[in-house]
Amino acid sequence: MNHTTAHTFVDSWVTAWNAHDLDALLAHFTDDVTFRSPVAAQLLGGDGVIRGKQALRTYWAEGLRLIPDLRFEVLGSYVGVDCLVINYRNQKGGLVNEVLVFDGPLVAEGYGTYLGADTNPAGARDAQR
């Protein structure tokens, strides 16, 4: 991963999120991706681990349904070896880091991480299940 590739990825990623374009977003992920997020546990129940691109689509579609005003503002990105951290602020003002591990040009593993003790960090309606 180099800074030019990271910048291109981050631009595409945030554009897809802000357009609520799941197809464009999911094009960045492997079919067998694993994604971990406390918001996934909140919205879908379970352990917060999403396995596979179709399950990731289901999770994010539910998230967009419950967060119709979802919008991200990228504050920074951090490049590692085969990984990228995207630091952003969501529409609620919450600070989030998304940690993405790549297999070639696609994300194979992802982690959504949130700052603070907010019980509804993504701002989902009816999120208390």
Side-chain angles (χ1 to χ4, degrees):
M1 173 77 53
N2 63 49
H3 289 282
T4 301
T5 302
H7 181 74
T8 300
F9 179 91
V10 171
D11 282 349
S12 177
W13 177 89
V14 75
T15 298
W17 269 119
N18 288 343
H20 298 187
D21 185 344
L22 287 181
D23 290 330
L25 188 60
L26 287 164
H28 296 294
F29 292 81
T30 63
D31 289 339
D32 61 347
V33 64
T34 302
F35 195 87
R36 292 168 171 81
S37 172
V39 174
Q42 177 187 26
L43 299 184
L44 303 177
D47 61 3
V49 181
I50 305 298
R51 293 172 179 86
K53 190 185 279 191
Q54 187 54 48
L56 192 57
R57 176 185 293 278
T58 299
Y59 161 47
W60 284 342
E62 179 67 356
L64 290 172
R65 185 182 75 78
L66 294 174
I67 312 166
D69 62 337
L70 181 135
R71 182 151 184 84
F72 297 158
E73 173 194 359
V74 174
L75 303 175
S77 60
Y78 309 87
V79 177
V81 176
D82 296 329
C83 67
L84 174 65
V85 176
I86 304 171
N87 175 242
Y88 64 93
R89 186 176 310 280
N90 65 20
Q91 78 292 338
K92 186 177 175 183
L95 293 174
V96 184
N97 280 323
E98 196 144 311
V99 181
L100 303 172
V101 180
F102 288 77
D103 181 5
L106 299 176
V107 177
E109 261 182 274
Y111 302 84
T113 65
Y114 298 82
L115 181 65
D118 188 342
T119 60
N120 187 10
R125 299 181 315 207
D126 303 320
Q128 305 302 321
R129 294 186 171 204

